[in-house]
Amino acid sequence: MKIQSIIVEDLQVAADFLKRFCEKCGVVEVIHHFLNAEDALHYLKDNVVDLIFLDVEMPGVSGFELLDQLVYTPQVILTTSKTEYAYNAFQYNVTDYLKKPFTYQRFLEAIQKVSKKSEQENGNAEQDHLFIKSDGKLIRLHNDDILFIESMGDYVKFITPSKKYITHNTIKNLETKVNPQVFMKVHRSYIVNFTKINDIQENVLFINGNMIPISKTHKSGVMQKINII
Amino acid sequence: MYNEEQKISFRFSPELDVDFLQELYGDDFQQAEMIFESSAQQLRTELSLAEARFHDGDIPGLKKAVHKIKPLFGYIGLNKIMSEFAAFEQECAQANEPASVETGFQHMRMIAAEALQKVDNEIKRLKQHNTQYL
């Protein structure tokens, strides 16, 4: 599967140059090119990509400001004509930093870093995120963003603070796939992120104002899991 | 008939940074032609914009235009001019009044015009070379 990417670059020539390299290497697909960060941000609110080729200095919102506003963390290759941003690049933990114009060889090195990082992340996938298929696309949800998962028959609903995602799956199936260090089943219809529990009253727990029942069979498990002082 | 040996026969003009261009484009002269053409086009647009900003006395606007112009020289093998524009961008960042960047701007205008001539010539050469294989 190709690396799904977007280019955020106000210089058309630089974007054309990069697109050609992406085509040439055969492993990177450029889904969109945005001439400014605002349009890219708008797109990234509803769409998940693996990689962003990101210019730093653009009119309006800068590349770093875009990274500040992202709700998830795809891999990022900064493309800039200045070397002064290297320290910031390090701070933002970007995958690589390409000084424009860059050679095909240098581009390939950056893509290799992306693949390597991606392999490492997939190896740790159980630990910090999962992918769900919703609205015809694969969406990466970080464990920390998921409040709880609710059964809806043959479907489940992933509840995050900002959005609800419905996907074709069952609680029973998910129970074995989510990270047990973060999630636990508390009822036949609910899996919760127990780091998000606000309070527990009798056989009900509360997460962000949502009331979730705890079944008798799972009550002792819940009580063992939470840290009672 | 297509000839693989002829394919690599193109040599960039010695007035450009040949080694760098060779590294940048390899034997993909179609890409070189495309990028040279769009660079020349965008250079003209951005230089007009820089000219307008300079006449308006808008130094931050001029700096932005210069920032955008700068890497374009890199794609056409004029790295020395790219460095000169980088220095001028720095000059704009430190300038307090339009008069202080005037000499620098005149110089940039002159070297950019020379650069555009070189690029136009190279585009002609690239086109001539690439059409042989159509």
Side-chain angles (χ1 to χ4, degrees), chain A residues 141-193:
Chain A
L141 289 180
H142 279 264
N143 291 344
D144 198 46
D145 290 334
I146 302 166
L147 299 175
F148 61 92
I149 308 163
E150 184 181 355
S151 168
M152 297 169 67
D154 289 340
Y155 290 83
V156 292
K157 192 157 58 176
F158 284 78
I159 315 290
T160 73
S162 58
K163 215 172 167 182
K164 292 169 184 171
Y165 300 92
I166 295 172
T167 182
H168 189 263
N169 216 322
T170 61
I171 289 288
K172 193 176 178 184
N173 180 43
L174 284 175
E175 192 184 355
T176 58
K177 294 195 171 167
V178 292
N179 184 350
Q181 291 180 326
V182 181
F183 296 98
M184 68 181 301
K185 190 176 176 186
V186 296
H187 185 274
R188 62 186 158 83
S189 299
Y190 291 93
I191 290 173
V192 303
N193 180 337

Side-chain angles (χ1 to χ4, degrees), chain B residues 44-54 62 65:
Chain B
R44 287 188 166 90
T45 308
E46 298 301 332
L47 284 166
S48 302
L49 192 71
E51 192 80 40
R53 297 284 176 266
F54 174 72
L62 176 62

Side-chain angles (χ1 to χ4, degrees), chain B residues 32-44:
Chain B
E33 181 189 326
M34 183 187 84
I35 296 295
F36 267 65
E37 267 194 314
S38 45
S39 295
Q41 195 182 9
Q42 197 158 1
L43 264 175
R44 287 188 166 90

Side-chain angles (χ1 to χ4, degrees), chain A residues 10 55-58 80-85 99-100, chain B residues 50 58-73 81-96 100-101 104-105 107-108 111:
Chain A
D10 65 331
D55 185 17
V56 178
E57 272 192 47
M58 288 177 285
T80 172
S81 53
K82 281 186 179 174
T83 48
E84 291 95 299
Y85 299 117
K99 188 173 178 293
K100 291 180 285 194
Chain B
D58 174 7
I59 301 180
L62 176 62
K63 182 189 167 288
K64 277 183 190 168
V66 170
H67 175 77
K68 217 166 166 182
I69 290 167
K70 182 182 64 181
L72 291 169
F73 291 112
I81 298 185
M82 184 166 74
S83 305
E84 288 195 63
F85 267 74
F88 183 60
E89 184 187 358
Q90 202 59 34
E91 201 179 313
C92 290
Q94 288 159 2
N96 299 317
S100 58
V101 295
F105 183 72
H107 179 62
M108 293 304 122
I111 57 173

